[in-house]
Amino acid sequence: MTTVNQPLVLPPSITSKTIRVKDLDVHFLQALPSSHSSSPTTQQPLIILLHGFPELAYSWRKVMVSLSEGGYNVVAPDQRGYGRTTMLNSSGVPIESIGFNDDLTPFRIFNLVTDIVLLVEAMNYRSVAAVVGHDFGSLIAGYCALIRPDLFRSVVMMSAPFPGAPPFQTSSEKKQSSLAWPTVMKQLAELDTPRKHYTTYFSSADANADMLQSPQGLRKFLSDYFYAKSADWPKNAPHPLPAASASHLTTLPHYYIMLLEQTMPMAVRNAANEGTRPLQEWLSDEDLSFYTSEFSRTGFQGGLNWYRCMTDTKWSMDLQIFTGKRVTVPAMFLAGSKDWGVYQSPGALERMKEYVCQSMDEEDVVLLPNVGHWVQQEQSEAVVSRLLGFLEKVSKTR
């Protein structure tokens, strides 16, 4: 097994554990309420926290203890392809590394949801009070609630609106849509200044090596990437886009709509030097060292394979069985006001509120002021307050 380079330093109330779940040894962080020590046989309501890219279970460290003191068993796994969760071969032997040419079947969205369902089962729970997902984890959380509303009793999507099952549009919206998404991608490449969508780049064979071996070094690349998508980068002034056309999408920063020949390290280069507030105010040097150590050990390919299964529709065909199905459990959307992720897919926020989620109240669509993409790390106290308020409201309706 690959050695662990960086010690996992956590608050005393958070423990690090591993559990076998089908073809995975799942590493997860857990925070239990202080009352658990006096009643160890009592099963507290479960909250599952799902990270995005390039993140880890560690990304939830700032909110876990406070959420647990609300009376919850709070669990954040390193998901498939990330961190200290290990994939196993058919003989149960750990897979040392994940490569671009590996079979993508395990990274299908349907399988990522199955991972979480079976994690809940392995923990001997029959229901989850809330599944909360950030960034790409928002998509997995949304599908958890869509597919298994009997198990996941509420859902919170953070930073990325949940588009629902393919084809992601109602019939009326399809008639109004002038351009299909593949056409938009083609038109981006044909602009006078040719562009590409970041998911196209993340799906390429070169992306992992580009980032892992970035000219500025992995640590500096990660600091630039985190900073560029935070509220502190002065060029982040997000707003709704009128349509999913190539010309409108060029409004997005280069970390979303990249120059055709750019790598991601090129797109965010020196971003951390362009703001007035230092990254260390919300992401300490120790935090950055941990991210750097983990991704230097594992690479990014595991997470990048998620994007490949999203951009190549053959890997999501199994989700079409849920076409037209809505999220029926109570739902919340929580993001930062300075996060372009809210608007990068034009119309997605409105579709989520008005159609995809049947029980998403207007008061539960929250954009925290002066917060960027990394909400739970940039403004953890505000996130905890909103999450606990939502869960309290949900509990009163049952």
Side-chain angles (χ1 to χ4, degrees), residues 341-355:
V342 177
Y343 305 114
Q344 64 151 315
S345 298
L349 179 63
E350 291 72 24
R351 286 195 297 274
M352 179 183 65
K353 291 192 298 182
E354 298 167 9
Y355 177 75

Side-chain angles (χ1 to χ4, degrees), residues 10-291:
L10 298 165
S13 300
I14 299 179
T15 56
S16 169
K17 300 180 179 180
T18 302
I19 190 170
R20 178 65 57 90
V21 178
K22 56 171 183 169
D23 64 332
L24 297 173
D25 279 337
V26 177
H27 170 256
F28 65 96
L29 303 182
Q30 182 176 38
L32 291 163
S34 54
S35 59
H36 176 74
S37 58
S38 59
S39 303
T41 60
T42 302
Q43 193 178 65
Q44 291 82 10
L46 180 63
I47 296 176
I48 298 285
L49 304 174
L50 305 178
H51 64 79
F53 179 92
E55 295 182 286
L56 302 161
Y58 185 78
S59 304
W60 298 101
R61 68 201 175 281
K62 292 185 177 182
V63 302
M64 293 184 68
V65 175
S66 296
L67 288 175
S68 72
E69 289 307 319
Y72 295 96
N73 177 7
V74 183
V75 168
D78 282 336
Q79 294 182 84
R80 181 181 293 271
Y82 285 89
R84 302 183 181 192
T85 287
T86 306
M87 294 176 61
L88 310 171
N89 66 20
S90 57
S91 301
V93 177
I95 295 173
E96 293 291 339
S97 63
I98 299 170
F100 182 83
N101 293 321
D102 292 355
D103 181 16
L104 288 181
T105 301
F107 298 95
R108 291 159 29 250
I109 289 173
F110 191 89
N111 200 53
L112 299 176
V113 172
T114 303
D115 289 343
I116 306 307
V117 170
L118 295 183
L119 172 63
V120 173
E121 173 75 16
M123 298 184 69
N124 295 315
Y125 272 81
R126 296 295 176 267
S127 68
V128 178
V131 56
V132 183
H134 175 250
D135 186 81
F136 209 132
S138 172
L139 188 68
I140 307 306
Y143 272 111
C144 283
L146 180 80
I147 296 171
R148 291 296 306 273
D150 59 314
L151 182 61
F152 300 97
R153 308 308 298 274
S154 69
V155 60
V156 180
M157 281 77 72
M158 292 172 57
S159 301
F162 178 56
F168 299 166
Q169 293 177 316
T170 64
S171 298
S172 60
E173 287 171 333
K174 282 189 207 176
K175 292 176 183 176
Q176 296 169 9
S177 177
S178 58
L179 292 171
W181 194 247
T183 303
V184 175
M185 298 299 99
K186 181 174 181 290
Q187 290 185 347
L188 282 171
E190 295 172 347
L191 292 171
D192 290 341
T193 303
R195 302 289 189 91
K196 64 188 173 191
H197 198 268
Y198 78 103
T199 58
T200 302
Y201 171 74
F202 280 164
S203 299
S204 70
D206 296 328
N208 180 56
D210 288 345
M211 294 186 287
L212 202 57
Q213 301 161 16
S214 58
Q216 61 264 53
L218 178 58
R219 182 186 178 91
K220 184 61 168 69
F221 161 63
L222 286 171
S223 69
D224 286 336
Y225 190 80
F226 284 130
Y227 200 90
K229 298 182 77 172
S230 76
D232 299 317
W233 194 53
K235 298 177 185 178
N236 282 331
H239 55 81
L241 300 179
S245 67
S247 59
H248 288 128
L249 288 176
T250 58
T251 305
L252 293 165
H254 284 183
Y255 55 76
Y256 277 135
I257 301 299
M258 307 168 68
L259 297 177
L260 189 62
E261 301 305 321
Q262 270 186 328
T263 66
M264 189 58 76
M266 292 168 62
V268 299
R269 189 175 181 87
N270 291 325
N273 303 334
E274 296 175 351
T276 56
R277 190 168 79 129
L279 179 68
Q280 290 80 2
E281 289 205 12
W282 58 270
L283 192 74
S284 70
D285 287 337
E286 292 77 13
D287 295 334
L288 185 59
S289 292
F290 183 74
Y291 282 115

Side-chain angles (χ1 to χ4, degrees), residues 307-384:
Y307 286 95
R308 295 171 66 198
C309 287
M310 181 175 70
T311 56
D312 186 341
T313 55
K314 76 177 182 181
W315 299 108
S316 59
M317 294 291 288
D318 49 4
L319 296 173
Q320 289 186 342
I321 194 171
F322 303 108
T323 294
K325 193 176 190 300
R326 303 172 70 189
V327 174
T328 56
V329 300
M332 180 183 193
F333 181 72
L334 180 61
S337 67
K338 291 195 172 183
D339 181 9
W340 268 110
V342 177
Y343 305 114
Q344 64 151 315
S345 298
L349 179 63
E350 291 72 24
R351 286 195 297 274
M352 179 183 65
K353 291 192 298 182
E354 298 167 9
Y355 177 75
V356 174
C357 292
Q358 185 173 305
S359 300
M360 179 176 280
D361 296 338
E362 191 62 37
E363 67 184 15
D364 294 324
V365 178
V366 180
L367 299 184
L368 296 173
N370 299 313
V371 182
H373 185 68
W374 318 104
V375 274
Q376 75 273 35
Q377 299 189 81
E378 293 182 57
Q379 292 289 344
S380 57
E381 292 182 3
V383 168
V384 168

